[in-house]
Amino acid sequence: AQTVTQSQPEMSVQEAETVTLSCTYDTSESDYYLFWYKQPPSRQMILVIRQEAYKQQNATENRFSVNFQKAAKSFSLKISDSQLGDAAMYFCAYRISGSRLTFGEGTQLTVNP
Amino acid sequence: EPEVTQTPSHQVTQMGQEVILRCVPISNHLYFYWYRQILGQKVEFLVSFYNNEISEKSEIFDDQFSVERPDGSNFTLKIRSTKLEDSAMYFCASSEHRDYDEAFFGQGTRLTVV
């Protein structure tokens, strides 16, 4: 069974600085998709960034980027120039083609002014 | 921007009662999902639905749960006889394609069973 592990229950960062959230996963599949979702206090799930496993290039979306290490099964999220609005719970998620999303336990990010 | 809409935003129900949670997926999407999140825990998959039938379900999705797409726009989750442990945030999601699309989530329905 696929599992997703986020080993940091909580992280904090100063406004304007950079923070990296960790995620590892376990799978025997070679083709899959990885995602980071943000869940603010409203509890809505918002997609931050996605990565296809067949792509070697790391995905970036403005201030958000990932470090995808396929051999190590690692998928970390880097947030640059952190803003107060980035404060939220962040979930790493995994999906193989046509199947369910499997989520990690989440990392609560606090942004300090 | 198109979005997934869920109603109600909060539902309180007596234990043993039936509830129906409603979702309107994005209009051109073909794949629909329900997930739930018990307070303070991770998001868990319940069921996926395509072409008017369940395509995958988790061990959580037992006989008390059912899903339906009664018309061209709504997608519902029914819980027949609610239990206290059904209290959670329920998220509907949809995607256009099966193979590579991310799922777009609704804002969730908070279900409280008393």
Side-chain angles (χ1 to χ4, degrees):
Chain A
Q2 292 83 17
T3 58
V4 178
T5 302
Q6 294 178 248
S7 59
Q8 305 155 315
E10 298 177 349
M11 291 284 285
S12 64
V13 63
Q14 289 296 124
E15 196 175 2
E17 295 193 346
T18 296
V19 64
T20 298
L21 308 184
S22 301
C23 174
T24 58
Y25 56 94
D26 186 26
T27 184
S28 57
E29 303 289 335
S30 59
D31 194 16
Y32 49 86
Y33 307 89
L34 296 163
F35 308 89
W36 279 97
Y37 281 88
K38 171 184 177 181
Q39 188 180 44
S42 66
R43 297 191 73 183
Q44 182 163 8
M45 298 290 287
I46 303 166
L47 178 70
V48 175
I49 199 165
R50 58 175 281 173
Q51 174 81 43
E52 292 88 346
Y54 65 85
K55 290 186 178 179
Q56 292 186 334
Q57 186 172 8
N58 288 323
T60 63
E61 285 287 341
N62 301 314
R63 297 182 295 107
F64 299 87
S65 61
V66 299
N67 183 5
F68 173 48
Q69 301 289 327
K70 191 172 184 179
K73 297 179 182 175
S74 169
F75 181 60
S76 61
L77 174 70
K78 185 171 82 171
I79 306 174
S80 304
D81 186 24
S82 298
Q83 301 176 357
L84 295 177
D86 295 333
M89 181 73 91
Y90 286 82
F91 289 98
C92 177
Y94 161 99
R95 179 186 180 199
I96 60 171
S97 176
S99 188
R100 66 182 73 178
L101 279 166
T102 299
F103 287 87
E105 305 90 338
T107 297
Q108 181 67 51
L109 178 66
T110 301
V111 181
N112 300 311
Chain B
E1 185 176 328
E3 60 181 17
V4 177
T5 305
Q6 290 185 242
T7 54
S9 57
H10 191 191
Q11 172 98 40
V12 180
T13 189
Q14 295 270 349
M15 188 170 56
Q17 295 295 304
E18 173 183 287
V19 294
I20 297 176
L21 309 184
R22 303 181 191 279
C23 170
V24 179
I26 294 173
S27 61
N28 64 329
H29 285 188
L30 301 176
Y31 299 88
F32 314 115
Y33 314 88
W34 284 101
Y35 291 81
R36 80 171 186 191
Q37 184 184 30
I38 295 171
L39 186 63
Q41 298 186 21
K42 68 169 76 174
V43 179
E44 302 172 293
F45 170 78
L46 291 177
V47 66
S48 59
F49 190 86
Y50 168 70
N51 199 26
N52 284 320
E53 61 182 25
I54 291 173
S55 48
E56 187 181 2
K57 62 182 181 179
S58 73
E59 57 279 3
I60 302 169
F61 194 86
D62 60 22
D63 291 344
Q64 71 161 342
F65 291 93
S66 62
V67 289
E68 193 178 36
R69 189 157 162 81
D71 53 42
S73 60
N74 290 286
F75 178 51
T76 62
L77 173 70
K78 181 191 291 186
I79 310 175
R80 287 190 184 81
S81 179
T82 50
K83 306 170 191 169
L84 294 177
E85 54 264 37
D86 293 328
S87 294
M89 195 76 159
Y90 287 80
F91 292 101
C92 174
S94 69
S95 62
E96 185 177 0
H97 302 101
R98 186 190 80 123
D99 290 337
Y100 55 86
D101 261 359
E102 66 267 27
F104 289 85
F105 282 77
Q107 78 279 23
T109 292
R110 185 189 302 272
L111 176 66
T112 303
V113 182
V114 297

